[in-house]
Amino acid sequence: MNGTPLGLRHMQSIQLSGPKRLWTELEILFRIQFALIRDSWVIVVLLATMFPLTTILFMRFFIADPAPEMMVQIIAGNMIFSVIIMGLNSMGQEISMQKHQGHFTFYASLPIRKINFVAANLLRGLMSTIPSFVLLGVIGYFVYGVDLHLSWGLPVVMLLSLTSVVGLGVCIGFWSPNQQLTSMLAQLLMMVVTFLSPVMVELNQLPKALQVVSYIFPTTYAADAMRVVLLHGWTQGVMLDCLMMLLYTAMTMVIVNRLVSWRV
């Protein structure tokens, strides 16, 4: 099966049905998305890493003798920041560009389900964010020298953090009425969720009005879950954050699948 040319496998997928067809469609679409980022992965990692990395280093030089809780907050916040840059900002603008340049017309000619196309774009967002996400965690660990709690719940928090935030970027990209508005909205939202929601700081450090507003952003639950799981491991609070992130991921898939249009 792996040695079969892509075109022939596409023809075979038309004859398949049920789970086999679902898997074949996802595999083909995943290969297309992987090919788009394969030659530019160095730029993708640098773009997603440089801003959060400079923030980590700046805070290390600026804050004298920080408490362990503050160090973990900085590490967790910058890991989520890298996801916001690539998963929300860049992914939203990239999908918007494809939509308004007519790339979706190609996919409309294929016998594929929209939900598989959406899932493939979500996987592409994950591929773009995972390297910088893990790299920043490792760099933050060595820069601050803090003992992080590495529990079995950490991969669960990482996966749901990525899918919930990337899902929001994918949703913005597919909704995009035009590229200019999408670019402005993605960058504005990136700044708001980073600095006016509890990503870099804890929830109780924000004004009451911002605390209330922050509950609508998945980044709030992602940053809180990441901070707590690195400090204390799996707790009931982390489980509730994970349930909220799972809900955001599912809502994103449903909304995009219903609203996506193959043509502008």
Side-chain angles (χ1 to χ4, degrees), residues 157 161 220-230 233 237-238 241-242 245:
V157 173
S161 299
T220 298
Y221 308 99
D224 184 65
M226 185 60 66
R227 180 181 61 81
V228 176
V229 80
L230 288 176
V238 173
D241 286 332
C242 288
M245 289 190 286

Side-chain angles (χ1 to χ4, degrees), residues 122-142:
L122 184 61
L123 287 173
R124 178 186 175 185
L126 295 179
M127 286 189 292
S128 301
T129 53
I130 285 176
S132 58
F133 186 77
V134 175
L135 187 61
L136 282 170
V138 174
I139 292 174
Y141 171 77
F142 284 106

Side-chain angles (χ1 to χ4, degrees), residues 16-235:
L16 297 175
S17 61
K20 288 186 177 179
R21 174 167 180 168
L22 175 68
W23 175 252
T24 302
E25 286 183 16
L26 279 173
E27 185 183 5
I28 293 173
L29 292 169
F30 176 76
R31 282 170 172 263
I32 294 173
Q33 297 299 326
F34 179 74
L36 292 174
I37 66 171
R38 181 180 54 191
D39 297 330
S40 59
W41 67 270
V42 174
I43 296 176
V44 169
V45 172
L46 286 176
L47 180 64
T49 306
M50 287 309 297
F51 198 1
L53 178 59
T54 53
T55 306
I56 286 180
L57 295 176
F58 170 76
M59 290 186 174
R60 180 68 182 91
F61 303 144
F62 183 73
I63 302 174
D65 194 21
E69 291 78 9
M70 181 178 292
M71 291 188 285
V72 174
Q73 177 70 46
I74 293 171
I75 295 171
N78 280 283
M79 292 171 70
I80 301 301
F81 189 20
S82 70
V83 182
I84 292 171
I85 291 177
M86 293 306 299
L88 196 158
N89 184 32
S90 297
M91 200 65 202
Q93 295 190 54
E94 172 65 24
I95 293 178
S96 172
M97 182 273 292
Q98 292 185 37
K99 175 180 178 180
H100 293 285
Q101 290 187 353
H103 294 193
F104 289 2
T105 304
F106 165 73
Y107 294 101
S109 65
L110 301 177
I112 59 173
R113 297 178 178 85
K114 284 193 295 185
I115 189 65
N116 292 335
F117 180 59
V118 174
N121 276 276
L122 184 61
L123 287 173
R124 178 186 175 185
L126 295 179
M127 286 189 292
S128 301
T129 53
I130 285 176
S132 58
F133 186 77
V134 175
L135 187 61
L136 282 170
V138 174
I139 292 174
Y141 171 77
F142 284 106
V143 167
Y144 288 95
V146 62
D147 290 329
L148 301 178
H149 195 108
L150 303 179
S151 69
W152 63 268
L154 182 58
V156 178
V157 173
M158 292 174 63
L159 179 62
L160 289 174
S161 299
L162 291 166
T163 55
S164 59
V165 179
V166 172
L168 183 58
V170 171
C171 192
I172 292 173
F174 278 111
W175 165 80
S176 168
N178 60 67
Q179 284 186 258
Q180 291 77 14
L181 179 60
T182 303
S183 176
M184 292 174 58
L185 177 63
Q187 294 185 47
L188 176 65
L189 194 57
M190 180 184 71
M191 301 306 291
V192 170
V193 299
T194 301
F195 299 110
L196 298 181
S197 70
V199 171
M200 294 296 185
V201 297
E202 293 187 42
L203 183 64
N204 57 16
Q205 294 178 280
L206 294 172
K208 288 293 182 184
L210 291 181
Q211 291 185 25
V212 174
V213 174
S214 67
Y215 284 112
I216 66 174
F217 300 123
T219 50
T220 298
Y221 308 99
D224 184 65
M226 185 60 66
R227 180 181 61 81
V228 176
V229 80
L230 288 176
L231 269 176
H232 309 293
W234 186 265
T235 66

